[in-house]
Amino acid sequence: MNSSVNPAFRSAITTGDWEHALITGNGRQGALCYGSPAALHFTLAHEDVFQPVTEPLPAPGTAAALPRLRELLAAGRFADAAGEVCDLAVAEHPGYAETRWIDPLIGTATLTFVADRPGGGWSRGTDLRTGVVVQEWDGVTCEAFVSRPADALIVRITGCGGTLSLGPVEGDPERPIDYTVDDLVLTARFPGADWPGALAGYTVTALTRRTGDEILILVRTTPGPRPSDFDAPPGLRLSELGDPPDFDALLAEHVAVHGELFDRTRLSLPDPRTRQLFDAGRYAIISSTGARPPTLQGVWSGTYAPPWRSGWTIDGNLQAALLAVHTTGTPELMPPLFDLLDSLRDDLRENARRLYGVPGLYAPAHLGTHGRQNHFGPVWCLTFWTAGAAWLGRLYLEHWQHTGDARFLAERALPYLREVAEFHLAFAEISDGRARFSPSYSPENRPSNTNSQATVDATLDVQAVGDVLRALLLHLPGDPAAPRWRELLDALPPYRIAASGELAEWLDPRFDDNHGHRHCSHLYPFYYSGDPVVLEDPALRAAAVKAVEERLRWWLSEASDEMGYGLALLGVAAARLGLASAAYAALTRLSSAYWRPNLVPTHNRDHMFNVDLAGAYPALVAAMLLASRDVDLDGVAQVHLLPALPEQWPTGSVRGLIARGPVRVDLSWRPGHLDATLTSVIGRGVIVDWPRGSVSLSLAAGTPHELHLPL
């Protein structure tokens, strides 16, 4: 084995199931590595290979029916309102008679190596820092990684010979695919998908070089139905890889990029399981973020029918997957989301116009090869979810807060927020100084006293829209639209405390909370910087705490078995509220129930390969160790050290966390003592809180400031 490869774990598991494979990826291409001494398998996927299955339709033209829908909702006929949208859609196009899904991210091919020397002593593992997957048995070693610079899967097998074959992934596609395999070149074409923007096909090319007892294999998927000899950008040409290519040199070039990202943050805790999963989660997100953000399954797929088509689900999934990229010091992983939204912007505008007859942006819950609102039904009344674009707006603000990139703020963030505001200025009704959001929807819950997810005034609407309006007024106070922004902001209704004491999920008192649910979207502010209104009002803070406790009670019961990332988001909210024991309880359940031995998380307990938790788990750990508030125009950062430190971590250290500002924070603690080092790229004031006190500092640009504090 290469001396630079150091697997984070070892396992004796053999498997023919891609869901239990070890993963490696460069963001654009992913490989699932699995098998046994009898045969090694490498199942490939590419971030751009979504099989065109369902022709996108314009969002249904329901704008003219909005007054009628509001009448039904005001009268308490919630299910009727949802049904009316479906009836209108079917009348417009018969394709809406059935649920329409986005196109699936599919596995592109499986490369199989059958060794001429099978044997015993099987072991496998993944080096998270290098991205190398190691599979070995007596006298034989297979190392594999997907190179970022070369944009190809690189495999080295030593100690044996064998035969290679390349073929489609197992199973039957939803629509036929025409395959041809010529030696080690697989060409796939998608017949009948003739609508604009549909991918025509792809090729997978494998090259081999044998030198002595070493076999070197290079594999690349190229979107487009034409043979590829490694001349397609962005990868290197074969001639640039050397002849024969040098595995160690290619690995060193890859580690210079991947390893540098991975090393930005390092964690040490007395709990080795938490540290291992913190690293594994970051590894999965780094490895599956390329020109696009990670899908539900990252950049891995071994099937034609991944759950929920493995697109981008934005009512919590994608936000969870990306939740740690800023706090753990890898902001480069966020712009692919903004690039995706830029590519779909026309669809988001058309959604707003057709659904509600207003300008601005409407983002559907499911994004894929298009951004049209095609996925909804009488139960899942997703056309009523209008907060999606606003929630994504928070991620633009997070990028600004964690990078201080003024050009990004001016050229990308504020123009996006302006369009989101345009939608809500036209959509929200203001009567007697109070704004109302009707229809409304709180993902993916329904009140306990109704039979419908169709609602009015979900708390998330007010929170997400308020974030957008406050940011615009802060940065563009003299804009011609500022008076309208201020009018809507001032009209946003106050939070409601339910009769049982929790922060209510719906502001409309007709709706009773349903705590036995995987989502907790009304705690949205606490996924990020918190909500000053709640934190500074003892009654509201107590209500938010009780809402966390009620949801956590359900999560820790045997009734829950789904959406591990939702528990992580609840844990992050607990940490933001200073609830150390609750955050640790969430973390402990996640550690024990939602990760497989291959260090890939699942959506439900040991069910469905899924990377959302890979982002949310390290975000939860980071939230227990560091919190920060949004930085205002004065540039003063507000940093809280160890806001939710559990008693189970009496000692520990972390380096490379990033607070809003941005301010880099390195921490080390032991009983009675906390050491902290804060560094800012610009001179700024910082207010530092920790469990035993508070202090104000002045940081000089680029100069680390050390603190030695009682704990």
Side-chain angles (χ1 to χ4, degrees):
M1 187 195 311
N2 187 290
S3 60
S4 65
V5 176
N6 182 28
F9 65 98
R10 288 284 188 174
S11 168
I13 293 174
T14 61
T15 180
D17 182 353
W18 69 267
E19 286 212 29
H20 295 269
L22 305 186
I23 59 172
T24 181
N26 69 354
R28 291 185 57 76
Q29 313 215 35
L32 297 154
C33 309
Y34 56 108
S36 70
L40 299 176
H41 307 289
F42 305 90
T43 294
L44 311 169
H46 189 288
E47 66 174 356
D48 290 335
V49 179
F50 291 83
Q51 184 192 358
V53 169
T54 307
E55 180 179 3
L57 299 177
T62 58
L66 181 57
R68 167 67 176 166
L69 297 177
R70 286 174 167 166
E71 289 176 2
L72 292 171
L73 292 166
R77 296 172 58 186
F78 309 115
D80 290 344
E84 187 142 328
V85 170
C86 297
D87 292 342
L88 290 169
V90 173
E92 183 177 301
H93 195 291
Y96 281 120
E98 297 181 352
T99 301
R100 300 185 70 80
W101 284 93
I102 58 174
D103 292 334
L105 181 77
I106 65 171
T108 58
T110 295
L111 181 77
T112 298
F113 176 78
V114 178
D116 59 13
R117 276 195 55 211
W122 171 264
S123 175
R124 68 176 191 162
T126 306
D127 184 339
L128 304 178
R129 185 181 179 276
T130 65
V132 174
V133 168
V134 179
Q135 300 174 96
E136 54 189 347
W137 61 94
D138 293 343
V140 179
T141 299
C142 174
E143 302 159 275
F145 70 97
V146 183
S147 167
R148 281 186 177 267
D151 195 36
L153 170 66
I154 316 291
V155 182
R156 177 169 66 182
I157 301 171
T158 56
C160 73
T163 59
L164 278 172
S165 61
L166 186 68
V169 300
E170 293 184 354
D172 297 318
E174 188 170 338
R175 289 175 65 111
I177 301 176
D178 291 341
Y179 288 108
T180 59
V181 180
D182 182 8
D183 193 14
L184 292 179
V185 177
L186 179 149
T187 303
R189 290 179 172 82
F190 300 134
D194 54 1
W195 51 86
L199 182 66
Y202 64 89
T203 62
V204 179
T205 305
L207 304 171
T208 64
R209 294 290 185 271
R210 296 174 185 260
T211 57
D213 69 346
E214 177 179 302
I215 303 171
L216 191 65
I217 308 165
L218 300 90
V219 193
R220 178 181 294 154
T221 296
T222 305
R226 54 184 174 78
S228 167
D229 61 354
F230 282 77
D231 286 339
L236 298 177
R237 291 178 172 83
L238 178 60
S239 60
E240 296 171 321
L241 299 177
D243 193 11
D246 185 312
F247 180 92
D248 292 329
L250 291 169
L251 176 58
E253 293 170 355
H254 170 71
V255 173
V257 182
H258 172 94
E260 195 277 331
L261 287 168
F262 185 78
D263 286 342
R264 300 272 181 89
T265 299
R266 302 299 276 172
L267 175 71
S268 177
L269 290 173
D271 173 5
R273 176 68 168 170
T274 296
R275 179 193 56 76
Q276 183 186 55
L277 297 183
F278 179 88
D279 288 346
R282 294 188 62 239
Y283 168 77
I285 298 303
I286 290 170
S287 300
S288 60
T289 304
R292 295 287 186 254
T295 71
L296 292 170
Q297 293 179 277
V299 69
W300 300 284
S301 181
T303 178
Y304 294 108
W308 301 285
R309 297 299 207 268
S310 192
W312 296 282
T313 302
I314 65 163
D315 66 1
N317 302 67
L318 180 58
Q319 291 90 331
L322 296 174
L323 194 56
V325 302
H326 287 126
T327 54
T328 59
T330 53
E332 302 95 323
L333 304 183
M334 188 60 75
L337 168 64
F338 309 138
D339 295 340
L340 173 66
L341 295 176
D342 283 350
S343 71
L344 303 177
R345 192 69 59 88
D346 287 344
D347 283 350
L348 306 189
R349 292 173 179 138
E350 186 72 354
N351 290 337
R353 187 186 69 81
R354 290 187 58 81
L355 288 169
Y356 292 112
V358 298
L361 305 176
Y362 174 103
H366 298 285
L367 300 174
T369 53
H370 64 86
R372 300 182 182 187
Q373 175 53 290
N374 281 185
H375 183 79
F376 56 91
V379 175
W380 302 91
C381 46
L382 290 167
T383 66
F384 289 177
W385 191 49
T386 61
W391 189 345
L392 293 174
R394 179 70 224 189
L395 275 61
Y396 283 81
L397 295 174
E398 288 294 294
H399 195 66
W400 150 249
Q401 289 283 338
H402 286 89
T403 65
D405 186 339
R407 181 175 179 179
F408 169 82
L409 177 68
E411 297 182 2
R412 300 196 74 173
L414 294 178
Y416 176 86
L417 297 179
R418 182 191 294 276
E419 283 204 78
V420 174
E422 282 300 308
F423 175 90
H424 291 286
L425 288 173
F427 172 76
E429 300 175 283
I430 298 179
S431 177
D432 297 327
R434 183 197 186 280
R436 166 152 288 202
F437 296 86
S438 175
S440 187
Y441 178 89
S442 187
E444 298 162 354
N445 203 358
R446 68 180 182 184
S448 62
N449 62 327
T450 75
N451 291 318
S452 178
Q453 296 178 15
T455 59
V456 172
D457 284 348
T459 301
L460 172 61
D461 291 5
V462 171
Q463 294 165 330
V465 173
D467 261 355
V468 170
L469 297 173
R470 282 186 290 269
L472 288 169
L473 287 166
L474 176 68
H475 295 288
L476 300 172
D479 192 276
R484 298 172 63 222
W485 299 335
R486 170 58 62 185
E487 179 188 15
L488 179 55
L489 181 63
D490 290 344
L492 293 180
Y495 292 127
R496 181 172 70 91
I497 298 177
S500 50
E502 301 88 3
L503 185 69
E505 188 165 351
W506 295 271
L507 303 178
D508 190 315
R510 292 180 296 169
F511 304 117
D512 294 341
D513 277 28
N514 175 23
H515 297 299
H517 198 267
R518 58 192 176 272
H519 279 268
C520 56
S521 300
H522 56 313
L523 297 174
Y524 146 93
F526 301 102
Y527 306 159
Y528 305 107
S529 63
D531 188 328
V533 173
V534 174
L535 295 176
E536 294 165 11
D537 183 320
L540 286 175
R541 188 187 185 283
V545 167
K546 188 166 185 183
V548 168
E549 292 172 343
E550 289 300 317
R551 293 292 164 103
L552 184 61
R553 182 176 293 110
W554 176 79
W555 269 109
L556 298 181
S557 73
E558 291 306 311
S560 68
D561 178 35
E562 55 184 8
M563 208 179 89
Y565 84 83
L567 176 56
L569 292 179
L570 183 66
V572 170
R576 290 282 186 266
L577 289 163
L579 307 177
S581 61
Y584 186 75
L587 190 76
T588 301
R589 173 56 66 93
L590 292 167
S591 299
S592 64
Y594 290 90
W595 292 82
R596 285 176 170 157
N598 59 353
L599 292 192
V600 177
T602 55
H603 187 273
N604 293 4
R605 298 183 200 174
D606 194 27
H607 181 54
M608 287 191 287
F609 183 111
N610 182 269
V611 305
D612 304 334
L613 180 57
Y617 188 97
L620 172 53
V621 175
M624 296 167 73
L625 302 178
L626 177 69
S628 61
R629 301 282 285 272
D630 285 344
V631 173
D632 212 330
L633 293 180
D634 61 10
V636 175
Q638 301 178 66
V639 177
H640 191 167
L641 310 178
L642 305 183
L645 184 70
E647 61 181 17
Q648 291 85 355
W649 298 346
T651 62
S653 65
V654 65
R655 68 171 178 83
L657 294 183
I658 306 298
R660 291 169 182 83
V663 176
R664 174 183 165 126
V665 179
D666 301 330
L667 299 173
S668 177
W669 67 94
R670 61 185 186 276
H673 195 79
L674 168 62
D675 293 320
T677 302
L678 279 65
T679 310
S680 173
V681 295
I682 64 170
R684 72 167 72 250
V686 182
I687 300 171
V688 179
D689 296 321
W690 77 100
R692 291 282 300 278
S694 180
V695 64
S696 295
L697 308 174
S698 180
L699 300 184
T703 302
H705 188 111
E706 295 185 0
L707 292 172
H708 306 286
L709 306 168
L711 186 62

